């Protein structure tokens, strides 16, 4: 971006939940023209009244991203007007890093700068959208919005230069999103509308609302009777619109939601409501499947796409957050489903730029929240290694090798006893999966899951070192892994039961922990054979793997004896995912409990549940791609 453009805002305030509009008149004489723009937190661009693009790439103050967008098709020779809308979140959630209120943009054409933002750029509070509304949807997503058509538009004034913003900005590392044709929701009762399937994108609404009347638009993934659940615990899944007594036409370009249903509450006449779908331009791979497996595969691919916008989402309705574990699984499944791997590169680059003061990875990226899940930092390293192994692209592991070493060192420092000691502190959550004894609900000094996840990570760090020819480091990590395996076997293995315990104190056993024991080589061949025979037995007395973490169970079984356990894995996947389809699923659920989980807040669309695309390809499609992705499992030695 040219140095002429300055960071600006409508005033000198850093207000939370603030909207601003900027106008940029310029003369165009011909040639290809572009706008380059970066903002905090979201932006939308219009040329001569026509929508061009919306969506700031997720970033950090020290890794600020700009978009370069060709606008030639929107221009006429002579005078043109560019309008820029910006929403600044400004509060801590799991989707944004808190930065200053600011936008920076320039328009170029014919080799010249036609407009550059500075203190003379005219700006105002954005009409319609209410600044300072500060109504929270969820802790993870943050604020909702109020579109107030009764609000008077403010006057344009000169902007204010914003100091402390970065001079250097970086180009978006991946392609921009695609805005598809709008999907109108069908009215199925007086106030309820059905999109027909899970959809993610920009909400829109057209209708008539009496002057001063405020309607609430609830959005959700299911119906409770004939209602869309708006309040679930402290969550409020809704946005609001205030009328002016005339027809209103709302398109909320600065927000994205995920849902299937809308419910409108209040005095109004709605003529159209729906979503403008937004998706990443993935290139889907073909696969030869038939019947129910083809349906399952297609819905799993759709689930992946619904959870990949500016960054990976865990679920688009409730959180829209990029977690280390969830992201690692989504990246892995993406190698199977799509031929382009630039999205994984961009996501890993973003996560690598996180600067949590613990030297671990923040609970989500980007966020200003200091909370960490220690094991998720290990999955970040595993994802980095899998990207390098699958693509052969070593740029990321080279650039962020020091970060990988710092993370590994944090766990090594806690392994002085030969096992990795649990982390502690107010901002630490020792989570492994949503299951008893594994969700941070048991106070223990040594969780088997942590030591085993560290061992998984070490095996991937060794692969990174080998590819970078860091032979001394590789040898160091091999010795460390040998020590951890030996001690984990001594402390966690119950010889009477033939299984590995949850921790050093309790005689409880989980499928996940025992799958880890096989994957890490902690269990010798005889022990691994027995463990796998029990993993493939339904009533094995172990705490079962949740839907998402079944991936590690399948990995262990494939590693132990692919041919023996192929039928079991396929049968379990077929049964679980065909059940969801029989219940009307258009995307795959967060857990097998569906909406009933998490006290009625279980998501019906979750990225980590797209695992059929990975295991169907490995087990049913013997081609170059299946062999390459199966190598990701073999790398877990």
């Amino acid at each position: 971006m040219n140095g002429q453009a300055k960071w600006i805002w409508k005033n000198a305030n850093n207000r939370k939940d603030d909207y601003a509009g900027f106008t940029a008149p310029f003369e165009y004489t011909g040639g290809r023209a572009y706008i380059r723009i970066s903002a905090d937190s979201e932006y939308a661009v219009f040329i001569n009244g026509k929508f061009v693009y919306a969506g700031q790439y997720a970033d950090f103050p020290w890794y600020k991203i700009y978009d370069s967008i060709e606008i030639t098709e929107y221009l006429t020779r002579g005078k043109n007007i560019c309008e820029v809308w910006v929403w600044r979140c400004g509060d801590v959630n799991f989707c944004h890093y808190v930065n200053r209120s600011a936008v920076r943009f320039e328009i170029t054409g014919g080799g010249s700068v036609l407009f550059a933002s500075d203190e003379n750029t005219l700006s105002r509070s954005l009409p319609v959208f209410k600044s300072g509304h500060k109504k929270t949807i969820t802790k993870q997503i943050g604020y909702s919005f109020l579109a107030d058509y009764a609000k008077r538009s403010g006057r344009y004034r000169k902007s204010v230069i914003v100091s402390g913003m970065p001079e250097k900005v970086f180009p978006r590392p991946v392609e921009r999103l695609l805005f598809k044709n709008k999907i109108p929701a069908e009215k199925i009762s007086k106030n309820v509308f059905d999109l027909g399937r899970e959809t993610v994108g920009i909400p829109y609404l057209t209708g008539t609302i009496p002057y001063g009347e405020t309607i609430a638009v609830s959005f959700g993934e299911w119906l409770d009777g004939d209602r869309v659940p708006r309040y679930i615990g402290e969550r409020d899944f809704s946005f609001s619109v205030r009328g002016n007594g005339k027809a209103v036409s709302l398109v909320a370009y600065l927000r994205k939601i995920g849902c299937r249903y809308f419910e409108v509450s209040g005095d109004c006449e709605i003529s159209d409501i729906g979503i403008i779908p937004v998706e990443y331009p993935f290139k889907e791979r073909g696969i030869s499947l038939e019947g129910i497996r083809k349906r399952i595969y297609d819905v799993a691919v759709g689930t992946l796409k619904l959870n990949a916008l500016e960054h990976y989402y865990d679920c688009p309705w409730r959180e829209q957050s990029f977690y280390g574990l969830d992201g690692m699984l989504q990246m892995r499944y993406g190698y199977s489903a799509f031929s382009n791997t630039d999205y994984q590169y961009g996501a890993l680059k973003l996560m690598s730029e996180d600067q949590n003061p613990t030297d671990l990875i923040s609970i989500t990226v980007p966020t200003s929240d200091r909370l960490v899940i220690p094991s998720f930092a290990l999955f970040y390293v595993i994802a980095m290694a899998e990207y390098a192994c699958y693509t052969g692209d070593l740029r990321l592991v080279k650039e962020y090798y020091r970060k990988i070493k710092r993370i590994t060192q944090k766990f090594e420092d806690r392994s002085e006893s030969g096992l990795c000691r649990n982390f502690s502190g107010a901002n630490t959550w020792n989570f492994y999966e949503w299951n008893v004894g594994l969700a941070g609900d048991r106070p223990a000094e040594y969780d088997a899951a942590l030591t085993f996840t560290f061992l998984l990570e070490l095996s991937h760090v060794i692969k990174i070192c080998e590819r970078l020819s860091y032979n001394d480091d590789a040898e160091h990590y091999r010795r460390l892994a040998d020590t951890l395996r030996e001690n984990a076997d001594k402390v966690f293995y119950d010889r009477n039961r033939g299984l590995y315990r949850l921790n050093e104190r309790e005689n409880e056993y989980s499928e996940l922990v025992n799958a880890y024991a096989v994957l890490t080589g902690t269990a010798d061949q005889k022990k691994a054979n027995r463990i796998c025979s029990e993993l493939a037995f339904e009533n094995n007395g172990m705490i079962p793997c949740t839907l998402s973490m079944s991936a590690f169970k399948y990995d262990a079984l494939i590693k132990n004896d692919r041919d023996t356990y192929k039928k079991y894995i396929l049968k379990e996947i077929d049964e679980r995912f065909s059940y969801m389809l029989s219940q009307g699923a258009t995307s795959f659920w967060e857990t097998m409990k569906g909406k009933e989980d998490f006290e009625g807040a279980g998501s019906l669309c979750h990225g980590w549940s797209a695992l059929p695309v990975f295991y169907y390809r490995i087990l049913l499609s013997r081609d170059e791609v299946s062999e390459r992705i199966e190598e990701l499992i073999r790398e877990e030695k």
Side-chain angles (χ1 to χ4, degrees):
M1 191 182 295
N2 192 290
Q4 291 181 231
K6 309 297 183 189
W7 290 102
I8 60 173
W9 194 245
K10 63 180 181 180
N11 53 37
N13 298 330
N14 270 314
R15 189 181 186 186
K16 296 179 181 179
D17 194 18
D18 201 8
Y19 293 86
F22 302 82
T23 184
F26 62 96
E27 294 288 328
Y28 172 68
T29 58
R32 299 179 72 174
Y34 298 84
I35 182 169
R36 295 176 179 85
I37 182 168
S38 182
D40 182 79
S41 303
E42 299 287 347
Y43 75 80
V45 172
F46 305 81
I47 300 290
N48 297 325
K50 295 181 179 179
F51 171 70
V52 176
Y53 190 77
Q56 172 67 35
Y57 188 80
D59 57 14
F60 296 99
W62 53 89
Y63 178 58
K64 197 80 187 93
I65 301 300
Y66 76 89
D67 282 322
S68 180
I69 307 166
E70 184 169 2
I71 56 173
T72 311
E73 65 179 288
Y74 302 96
L75 302 181
T76 59
R77 290 184 181 272
K79 186 176 180 180
N80 293 264
I81 297 290
C82 173
E83 292 182 78
V84 174
W85 296 3
V86 183
W87 170 59
R88 191 252 179 170
C89 174
D91 202 1
V92 177
N93 57 40
F94 281 13
C95 301
H96 299 98
Y97 192 97
V98 176
N99 201 356
R100 293 174 173 82
S101 305
V103 63
R104 179 184 175 189
F105 62 95
E106 67 179 17
I107 299 168
T108 61
S112 300
V113 176
L114 306 181
F115 189 92
S117 57
D118 62 16
E119 64 271 27
N120 294 309
T121 302
L122 295 180
S123 60
R124 61 178 177 174
S125 290
L126 190 64
V128 177
F129 291 94
K130 173 71 173 176
S131 291
H133 183 52
K134 293 191 291 188
K135 183 184 81 68
T136 297
I137 298 173
T138 63
K139 173 185 176 181
Q140 293 82 5
I141 291 175
Y143 294 137
S144 180
F145 64 89
L146 165 61
D148 186 356
Y149 285 88
K151 181 171 73 118
R152 295 180 61 183
S153 298
R155 295 175 58 186
Y156 280 109
R157 294 181 172 83
K158 289 186 176 182
S159 298
V160 174
I161 299 294
V162 178
S163 61
M165 294 295 288
E167 182 61 31
K168 183 177 182 180
V169 289
F170 301 86
R172 179 184 285 248
V174 298
E175 296 183 62
R176 295 196 312 277
L177 302 177
L178 301 176
F179 287 74
K180 314 293 281 188
N181 293 330
K182 72 178 186 179
I183 298 179
E186 178 184 357
K187 191 172 185 177
I188 58 174
S189 68
K190 181 180 179 181
N191 300 310
V192 177
F193 302 80
D194 182 4
L195 289 160
R197 57 184 170 86
E198 182 84 19
T199 310
V200 180
I202 307 296
Y204 74 87
L205 175 152
T206 302
T208 303
I209 308 170
Y211 184 89
E213 175 77 13
T214 300
I215 65 169
V217 181
S218 305
F219 56 91
E221 295 181 320
W222 67 86
L223 295 178
D224 184 4
D226 60 351
R227 305 293 303 274
V228 176
R230 173 180 173 180
Y231 299 106
I232 303 177
E234 297 180 351
R235 310 171 187 90
D236 182 350
F237 295 98
S238 72
F239 58 87
S240 302
V241 186
R242 183 171 295 147
N244 59 3
K246 304 175 183 177
V248 301
S249 183
L250 167 69
V251 183
Y253 285 112
L254 297 172
R255 300 302 179 84
K256 300 179 184 72
I257 64 172
C259 66
R260 175 171 174 173
Y261 298 99
F262 292 105
E263 180 177 352
V264 180
S265 303
D267 184 9
C268 62
E269 291 292 335
I270 301 299
S271 57
D272 191 13
I273 187 172
I275 281 181
I276 300 172
V278 181
E279 65 180 47
Y280 190 77
F282 288 113
K283 299 172 184 175
E284 292 186 32
R285 296 187 190 277
I287 189 170
S288 180
L289 295 171
E290 295 179 351
I292 190 64
R293 284 177 176 161
K294 181 65 165 64
R295 284 186 61 202
I296 289 171
Y297 182 90
D298 289 345
V299 173
V301 170
T303 302
L304 276 178
K305 294 171 74 173
L306 289 167
N307 286 284
L309 297 185
E310 273 76 19
H311 52 66
Y312 286 107
Y313 288 180
D314 59 329
C315 51
W317 165 66
R318 194 188 66 225
E319 296 194 14
Q320 301 183 4
S321 301
F322 179 21
Y323 293 86
L325 168 62
D326 310 39
M328 186 277 287
L329 292 171
Q330 288 167 277
M331 290 178 214
R332 176 186 276 193
Y333 304 156
Y335 298 133
S336 175
F338 312 118
S339 61
N340 45 338
T341 58
D342 56 318
Y343 195 86
Q344 285 95 329
Y345 174 90
L348 288 168
K349 174 78 174 175
L350 176 63
M351 188 162 278
S352 297
E353 286 292 334
D354 180 65
Q355 294 183 8
N356 192 285
T358 64
D359 277 341
L360 299 177
I361 299 293
S362 299
I363 184 168
T364 62
V365 175
T367 182
S368 297
D369 198 301
R370 299 297 85 186
L371 180 64
V372 297
I373 299 177
S375 64
F376 282 22
L378 298 172
F379 286 114
Y380 152 75
V381 177
I382 292 170
M384 290 282 276
E386 290 192 343
Y387 175 82
C389 292
Y390 179 79
T391 66
D393 180 0
L394 302 181
R395 288 176 295 166
L396 288 170
V397 291
K398 284 181 179 177
E399 183 177 358
Y400 295 102
Y401 183 70
R402 289 184 180 180
K403 186 179 191 74
I404 291 168
K405 282 198 71 171
R406 286 198 304 270
I407 289 172
T408 306
Q409 189 63 48
K410 294 290 290 189
F411 289 84
E412 183 174 354
D413 289 345
R414 305 185 70 80
S415 302
E416 69 282 352
S417 67
L419 297 172
C420 189
R421 183 166 36 89
N422 289 357
F423 287 72
S424 60
N427 289 319
T428 300
W429 181 15
N430 291 308
F431 173 89
Y432 310 103
E433 73 165 331
W434 287 112
N435 229 330
V436 59
L438 292 160
D441 55 334
R442 298 284 181 85
E445 187 173 5
Y446 296 99
D447 287 330
L450 185 63
T451 292
F452 286 144
T453 309
F454 184 27
L455 275 165
L456 274 180
E457 187 257 7
L458 283 173
S459 70
H460 287 78
V461 174
I462 291 166
K463 294 297 181 182
I464 290 171
C465 293
E466 290 173 346
R467 281 160 173 76
L468 297 179
S469 298
Y470 296 157
N471 298 326
D472 290 346
D473 284 356
E475 183 57 32
H476 170 76
Y477 293 132
R478 288 190 194 97
R479 290 195 300 269
L480 175 60
D482 288 343
T483 299
L484 288 169
R485 274 191 290 268
E486 181 181 353
N487 284 284
D489 189 60
K490 289 178 180 177
V491 174
F492 299 126
Y493 187 67
D494 181 344
R495 298 184 183 281
N496 293 326
R497 184 65 178 83
L499 296 172
Y500 290 82
R501 304 179 181 90
L502 284 181
N503 55 52
E504 81 281 11
R505 300 185 309 177
E506 300 176 275
N507 288 328
E508 281 194 272
Y509 316 90
S510 83
E511 290 185 346
L512 179 62
V513 163
N514 281 276
Y516 282 164
V518 174
L519 287 170
T520 59
T522 304
D524 62 26
Q525 191 62 51
K526 183 178 180 181
K527 293 174 183 175
N529 290 343
R530 175 172 177 174
I531 289 169
C532 287
S533 67
E534 293 214 33
L535 288 175
F537 182 67
E538 186 174 354
N539 299 310
N540 56 32
M542 287 186 271
I543 299 166
C545 279
T546 53
L547 183 63
S548 60
M549 304 308 277
S550 294
F552 296 98
K553 179 174 75 169
Y554 301 153
D555 288 357
L557 294 174
I558 291 170
K559 190 170 186 173
N560 181 254
D561 192 331
R562 181 185 190 279
D563 293 336
T564 296
Y565 295 112
K566 172 182 175 178
K567 184 177 180 180
Y568 165 80
I569 296 169
L570 290 173
K571 180 175 181 290
E572 184 165 280
I573 291 174
D574 291 347
E575 289 177 350
R576 286 179 165 185
F577 289 88
S578 61
Y579 170 75
M580 290 187 228
L581 293 179
S582 74
Q583 299 302 300
T586 61
S587 56
F588 287 135
W589 307 345
E590 185 171 10
T591 74
M592 289 305 299
K593 296 179 182 178
K595 63 183 175 135
E596 304 302 332
D597 215 346
F598 308 110
E599 299 179 336
S603 175
L604 302 187
C605 178
H606 204 291
W608 67 16
S609 298
L611 61 87
V613 302
F614 189 80
Y615 295 99
Y616 278 175
R617 189 171 295 278
I618 287 177
L619 298 174
L620 296 172
S621 178
R622 301 309 296 167
D623 54 23
E624 180 186 355
V625 175
S626 67
E627 290 174 4
R628 286 172 64 198
I629 63 173
E630 192 169 344
E631 276 297 319
L632 300 180
I633 296 173
R634 298 188 188 121
E635 296 288 352
E636 292 172 352
K637 294 178 182 178

